[in-house]
Amino acid sequence: MSRRLQTIFLPAATGALVIAAWYAVHALLSEDLRFLLPTPTAVVTAFRTHADSLARAALNTTQGALLGFALAVIVSSFFALALSLSRLVRIGLYPYLMILQMTPVIVFAPILVIWVGAGLKSVTIITFLICFFPLVVNTTQGLVSTDRHLVELFAMWRTSRLQQVLYLRVPAALPYFFTGLRIAATLAPIGALVGDYTAGSSAGDGGGLGFQAIIYSSQAKYAALFATAATTCILGFIFTAGVLSLSWLVLHQWHDSYENTDK
Amino acid sequence: MSAPLPPIVEFREATKRFGEGPLVLDLLNLTVQPGEFVSLLGPSGCGKSTLLRLIAGLTPLTAGSLIVDRRSPDAAAADLAFVFQEPTLLPWLRVTANIELPLALRGIAPAERSAISRRVLDLVRLSEKANAYPRQLSGGQKMRVSIARALALSPKILLLDEPFGALDEMTREHLNEELLTIRERHAWTAFFVTHSVAEAVFLSNRIFIFSANPAHLHTEIPVPFPYPRTAATRLSRPYHDLVADVSRLLRSVEPDTV
């Protein structure tokens, strides 16, 4: 079997097996427990029935996820620059960054609701907090890992500090930045969902997927809950695909993490 | 007969130590005239690379004096170019952009930059790789780009720190010949650090042999063969005799380490 066929056939076979097992378990459950595990067909039906509210909720979650993610990218880049440029800033700030990372962001949710109100603002801030750490750590690491020989070359050219940062440190940090970006992209939709679950609001144009999950759960619409999970999953895929494409665009021609195609 | 030109590099009782560490250079006296090609040979850790870094103004002398092109090393920096052991190309820039970067950083206009990069790429015979990224080049090609980038700055002094050390013998010999050919047209002064006696004899008009701990100038050997030197020079009897002599001398200053 060719390599290409394998990459299509093997995942498809795994998927078919899982779905078969799913139906089997459903069939094996006694009649009164079957509602706990709706069949894939039931989930697809729920998808159709709730398409409108799921789409609207997905859009709201995407909005929170994108805003929080973008905010995290911008703020973390400035932090990373400051951390990389000054040893004193690094020593002074690093313990608090660690503390921020160790704190379960979810405990902020009730506080945020009091401070800025439930809804998009809270969701955005929670997503921001979750995405911030991997971004700032990776980008800082990239900015301080510049090849010693290249730094010496720039010293030989008597460049200014600003030139060194712009033309050497920042481009050299790009692969690290994208590593952080990939991690953050998988965290952003989940972060937004969790944020929405704890600090969401039906005000305005309605809540996001987290809020929708609470509604379905209270109405015992389990097939719809599965459909909500699947929607979040799709959202995560889209986010990750976006970041991977961007990373490919920026790095594939020169960075060793991508195959050297025209040698 | 005209008066001798002022030396382009002059060390006077130059002493160097890093912090509280041991002496790296001890009372060095060394004078090089404009247009000379001098090689520095000696055991590892004898301060050859430090000597280049001193001329480049990357590190200051501890005592004594050093004049570069009638100025302090720092003031002369714009007229120097350094070729490191690694090609030190920026992997995210194409060959042309790599060569033009130091020119751009000096504020030279784009049109002039591209004219210069075309000229130096032609000089190292890599015009067809102008749009390649460094990772698409072989080790020898990367080094040629590195040399082209140094030449693009029109330096008066070229400092080369084992530039061909990582290359295979064939490539190294080719690049040696190329370097001399380029020098026929551009009269820079070269300081060349190497571990290869054959390379030093082939390239230079004078060889300085250093001994280690602390480094001092052990011997100075003139290389009498006239330029232009070609691949045929390597086949001549006097060339082989001189390589043998220098090798013997070098072995006598190497510390007895087993």
Side-chain angles (χ1 to χ4, degrees):
Chain A
M1 203 187 306
S2 78
R3 182 68 56 99
R4 170 160 289 180
L5 259 164
Q6 277 180 5
T7 57
I8 296 167
F9 179 77
L10 290 180
T14 314
L17 274 176
V18 169
I19 288 172
W22 188 340
Y23 275 112
V25 173
H26 180 83
L28 286 173
L29 286 171
S30 62
E31 199 87 36
D32 55 330
L33 285 179
R34 279 188 188 162
F35 76 96
L36 287 175
L37 186 67
T39 59
T41 348
V43 174
V44 171
T45 313
F47 237 129
R48 288 221 188 102
T49 331
H50 302 282
D52 283 350
S53 39
L54 277 177
R56 200 196 61 241
L59 219 67
N60 286 338
T61 300
T62 307
Q63 208 183 344
L66 270 180
L67 281 173
F69 181 71
L71 198 64
V73 169
I74 294 165
V75 176
S76 72
S77 297
F78 280 109
F79 261 80
L81 263 179
L83 286 165
S84 70
L85 286 177
S86 157
R87 206 180 61 91
L88 293 179
V89 172
R90 202 151 58 236
I91 296 171
L93 272 185
Y94 217 77
Y96 299 101
L97 282 176
M98 292 304 289
I99 290 171
L100 177 65
Q101 169 65 1
M102 298 306 162
T103 313
V105 170
I106 217 65
V107 302
F108 287 132
I111 305 170
L112 282 173
V113 171
I114 298 166
W115 283 355
V116 301
L120 186 60
K121 274 188 206 158
S122 287
V123 174
T124 301
I125 293 173
I126 288 170
T127 311
F128 164 80
L129 288 172
I130 288 177
C131 293
F132 181 74
F133 193 76
L135 280 167
V136 81
V137 168
N138 278 288
T139 309
T140 306
Q141 188 64 36
L143 287 169
V144 299
S145 302
T146 320
D147 187 339
R148 213 168 30 81
H149 296 107
L150 293 179
V151 174
E152 182 135 82
L153 181 72
F154 271 63
M156 187 64 227
W157 292 340
R158 303 297 195 273
T159 54
S160 68
R161 190 76 189 264
L162 181 68
Q163 286 178 326
Q164 197 202 65
V165 169
L166 284 181
Y167 293 95
L168 179 58
R169 292 202 181 266
V170 167
L174 281 176
Y176 293 83
F177 168 74
F178 276 108
T179 304
L181 208 60
R182 276 189 221 184
I183 300 171
T186 57
L187 293 176
I190 296 171
L193 180 107
V194 171
D196 193 50
Y197 196 88
T198 48
S201 159
S202 63
D205 53 350
L209 288 166
F211 198 77
Q212 205 63 40
I214 298 177
I215 293 171
Y216 292 143
S217 151
S218 67
Q219 296 170 342
K221 288 180 177 162
Y222 298 111
L225 266 180
F226 273 87
T228 312
T231 310
T232 315
C233 193
I234 292 168
L235 211 58
F237 267 117
I238 294 172
F239 258 74
T240 308
V243 166
L244 286 180
S245 313
L246 190 65
S247 165
W248 182 86
L249 267 179
V250 175
L251 300 179
H252 81 281
Q253 282 186 300
W254 61 271
H255 196 251
D256 285 335
S257 57
Y258 294 91
E259 212 172 319
N260 194 353
T261 44
D262 47 1
K263 184 128 190 171
Chain B
M1 202 173 144
S2 60
L5 288 165
I8 190 148
V9 171
E10 185 172 25
F11 285 89
R12 284 210 171 280
E13 312 207 319
T15 300
K16 174 68 183 172
R17 69 166 84 229
F18 291 100
E20 296 297 303
L23 273 177
V24 186
L25 281 180
D26 191 16
L27 295 175
L28 175 74
N29 286 300
L30 190 153
T31 306
V32 171
Q33 299 299 320
E36 280 201 275
F37 197 122
V38 299
S39 286
L40 313 176
L41 277 173
S44 301
C46 75
K48 305 179 300 258
S49 296
T50 305
L51 200 106
L52 293 196
R53 295 169 50 81
L54 284 165
I55 299 171
L58 290 173
T59 181
L61 268 181
T62 310
S65 77
L66 165 59
I67 306 283
V68 178
D69 195 27
R70 284 167 285 177
R71 290 167 282 175
S72 74
D74 211 41
D79 287 318
L80 302 182
F82 210 122
V83 178
F84 298 91
Q85 186 168 10
E86 287 76 23
T88 59
L89 302 177
L90 275 53
W92 53 87
L93 295 181
R94 296 174 193 272
V95 165
T96 305
N98 258 294
I99 293 174
E100 291 184 18
L101 179 63
L103 302 170
L105 293 174
R106 284 187 183 181
I108 293 172
E112 194 182 345
R113 276 187 334 237
S114 66
I116 293 173
S117 77
R118 265 199 305 277
R119 183 173 56 76
V120 292
L121 261 183
D122 187 49
L123 221 50
V124 297
R125 298 185 297 113
L126 268 181
S127 300
E128 79 279 12
K129 294 287 184 189
N131 285 318
Y133 282 93
R135 69 167 177 167
Q136 295 164 330
L137 306 177
S138 70
Q141 289 172 332
K142 281 182 203 163
M143 211 59 232
R144 272 147 73 188
V145 175
S146 187
I147 290 170
R149 180 180 61 189
L151 295 175
L153 296 168
S154 310
K156 286 188 185 169
I157 303 175
L158 200 53
L159 305 166
L160 304 111
D161 192 359
E162 288 187 60
F164 309 134
L167 304 176
D168 63 86
E169 188 80 21
M170 280 286 282
T171 312
R172 177 193 280 233
E173 289 187 355
H174 272 300
L175 288 177
N176 283 172
E177 289 153 28
E178 243 175 76
L179 196 61
L180 287 189
T181 312
I182 293 167
R183 210 175 70 106
E184 293 295 312
R185 286 185 266 172
H186 302 263
W188 24 265
T189 308
F191 283 78
F192 194 92
V193 167
T194 178
H195 278 116
S196 159
V197 173
E199 190 173 55
V201 171
F202 181 75
L203 290 172
S204 12
N205 67 304
R206 274 198 293 165
I207 298 173
F208 295 114
I209 296 190
F210 284 83
S211 57
N213 299 323
H216 54 270
L217 185 53
H218 184 273
T219 322
E220 180 194 318
I221 300 165
V223 182
F225 317 127
Y227 297 98
R229 297 174 191 169
T230 60
T233 309
R234 287 202 193 86
L235 303 173
S236 75
R237 186 62 195 262
Y239 170 82
H240 280 282
D241 289 346
L242 190 56
V243 169
D245 287 349
V246 176
S247 299
R248 237 187 327 272
L249 238 165
L250 192 58
R251 202 161 309 135
S252 74
V253 303
E254 293 265 6
D256 285 329
T257 45
V258 181

